[in-house]
């Protein structure tokens, strides 16, 4: 719901990972559209350098893996703007490598941010949304959150978790007047595939050269050449929050649309082929 009374802002957005990439662009688009923005990130100086200073902007320190910091950041947001209308759980990064090549410490680090971090921030924000019986939780998943493939298996598993969490949030929050949407970007031109963000598994197993190895090579070529325009993604977020009935899932990019169609067809066909065995396991009574 749009409340133009408090502070004269359309909505109050809380965006994680707002220092660069998709998070910074959503922050810029929301500010330009008359919203207040709580821009959360590990490096507050980088946020101020990127977004400047404005009465509509509150930069806050937030490493999403730190639950106490998430609570403090939300408290600062509510003290300044009185509410949080839109939470964008955007902070995240990828791990490139075959499942077997992915080291335990890298897997845990990614889960700490992409899954447990998202949960930390969501738990911190929801009490204020529930109190107002309004709000919108937007979780940034991925094309890999709908279908997994060679090379990004563990990353995809974190985004599958984000999809499951959001699907449940959608059901739990709807009766409370709060929307939940999981956004599935395809490949967008940010630092996602860059060494400054992406972890590349140091172990390389020759047996995976044609599968995960091919994806490693493609990712190097694609870095900063991805088809998706992140400014258009940011503009789409403004449309999403204006929708009277926002969707549970919002795929973004023609690559994601093609991947969803292919997966849906595969699942339909495979389920049909195996339906006799699948339907044979109930008790007879
Ligand atoms: P970038 O690498 O450009 O930005 C990632 C952002 O996440 C940075 O602001 C980074 O902060 C922040 N971040 C990482 N870990 C943490 C943490 N523990 N706490 C707080 N902030 C953190 O990538 P994108 O902008 O592309 O990625 C944004 C989201 O979009 C991610 O969730 C990603 O998985 C998803 N996505 C991206 C796709 C793409 O092709 N670009 C495709 C599908 C999904 P810092 O500056 O401090 O490093």
């Amino acid at each position: 719901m749009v409340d133009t009374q408090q502070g004269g802002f359309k909505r109050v957005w809380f965006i994680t990972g707002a220092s660069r990439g998709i998070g910074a662009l959503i922050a810029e688009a929301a500010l330009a559209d008359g919203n207040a923005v709580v821009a959360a990130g590990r490096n507050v100086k980088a946020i101020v350098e990127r977004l400047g200073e404005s009465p509509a902007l509150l930069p806050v320190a937030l490493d999403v893996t730190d639950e106490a910091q998430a609570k403090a950041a939300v408290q600062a947001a509510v003290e300044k703007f009185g509410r949080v209308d839109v939470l964008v759980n955007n902070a995240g990064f990828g791990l490139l490598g075959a499942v077997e090549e992915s080291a335990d410490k890298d897997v845990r680090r990614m889960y700490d941010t992409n899954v447990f971090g998202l949960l930390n921030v969501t738990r911190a924000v929801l009490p204020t949304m529930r109190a107002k019986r309004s709000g919108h939780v937007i979780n940034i998943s991925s094309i890999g959150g709908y279908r997994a493939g060679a090379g990004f298996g563990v990353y995809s598993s974190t985004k599958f978790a984000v999809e499951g969490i959001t699907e449940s949030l959608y059901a739990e929050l709807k009766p409370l007047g709060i929307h939940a949407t999981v956004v599935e970007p395809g490949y967008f031109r940010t630092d996602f595939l860059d060494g400054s963000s992406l972890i590349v598994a140091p172990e390389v197993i020759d047996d995976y050269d044609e599968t995960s190895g091919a994806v490693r090579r493609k990712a190097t070529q694609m870095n900063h050449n991805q088809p998706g325009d992140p400014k258009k993604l940011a503009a789409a977020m403004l449309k999403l929050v204006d929708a009277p009935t926002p969707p549970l899932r919002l795929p973004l990019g023609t690559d994601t649309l093609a991947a969803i169609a292919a997966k849906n067809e595969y699942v339909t066909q495979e389920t049909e082929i195996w339906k006799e065995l699948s339907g044979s396991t109930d008790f007879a009574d």
Side-chain angles (χ1 to χ4, degrees):
M1 213 199 322
V2 178
D3 175 2
T4 49
Q5 300 306 307
Q6 208 165 2
F9 301 114
K10 261 190 183 170
R11 293 186 179 87
V12 179
W13 293 58
F14 188 109
I15 304 166
T16 68
S19 49
R20 57 191 169 126
I22 288 169
L25 287 163
I26 297 173
E28 283 169 352
L31 286 168
D33 190 49
N35 298 278
V37 170
V38 182
R42 294 187 285 200
N43 183 345
V44 174
K45 200 167 153 248
I47 293 172
V48 175
E49 273 168 14
R50 172 68 190 254
L51 300 175
E53 289 182 39
S54 140
L57 174 67
L58 177 66
V60 287
L62 178 55
D63 180 326
V64 298
T65 63
D66 182 338
E67 183 163 27
Q69 209 178 26
K71 284 186 182 155
V74 172
Q75 197 181 339
V78 173
E79 271 166 22
K80 179 151 173 86
F81 296 120
R83 65 196 200 273
V84 174
D85 300 310
V86 182
L87 165 62
V88 184
N89 275 314
N90 163 76
F93 63 89
L95 168 58
L96 175 55
V99 172
E100 188 185 343
E101 292 167 340
S102 303
D104 179 69
K105 77 169 175 25
D106 293 334
V107 172
R108 285 176 193 276
R109 217 182 109 196
M110 187 172 51
Y111 263 84
D112 275 343
T113 292
N114 294 10
V115 182
F116 305 129
L118 175 143
L119 288 169
N120 283 340
V121 181
T122 303
R123 279 192 304 268
V125 167
L126 280 180
T128 163
M129 289 187 174
R130 282 191 294 100
K132 304 250 180 228
R133 287 294 192 263
S134 77
H136 197 157
V137 178
I138 298 174
N139 290 334
I140 306 295
S141 170
S142 168
I143 183 173
Y146 197 85
R147 68 101 180 88
F152 276 111
V154 183
Y155 170 69
S156 286
S157 75
T158 67
K159 296 301 189 179
F160 271 56
V162 171
E163 301 262 337
I165 289 163
T166 316
E167 205 163 322
S168 296
L169 284 173
Y170 183 89
E172 292 164 2
L173 298 176
K174 199 174 183 173
L176 307 179
I178 302 165
H179 302 297
T181 301
V182 64
V183 172
E184 297 159 336
Y187 284 88
F188 278 74
R189 213 167 291 177
T190 66
D191 286 339
F192 180 78
L193 291 176
D194 195 77
S196 58
S197 289
L198 185 72
I199 299 180
V200 180
E203 186 180 8
V204 177
I205 300 173
D206 287 346
D207 280 345
Y208 297 115
D209 185 62
E210 282 176 24
T211 52
S212 174
V215 175
R216 284 176 186 253
R217 291 187 283 278
K218 193 178 163 198
T220 306
Q221 290 162 9
M222 223 194 221
N223 183 18
H224 292 130
N225 279 311
Q226 296 96 325
D229 179 346
K231 274 194 183 162
K232 292 184 179 168
L233 185 159
M237 295 302 97
L238 296 183
K239 289 199 176 140
L240 173 65
V241 297
D242 270 340
T245 315
L248 164 59
R249 287 196 173 77
L250 182 65
L252 290 175
T254 52
D255 49 358
T256 302
L257 287 174
I260 289 176
K263 168 133 186 197
N264 287 349
E265 194 184 332
Y266 177 88
V267 172
T268 303
Q269 282 181 11
E270 191 175 69
T271 310
E272 180 61 25
I273 292 166
W274 288 88
K275 74 176 177 196
E276 208 175 308
L277 184 60
S278 300
S280 69
T281 53
D282 296 354
F283 281 110
D285 56 9

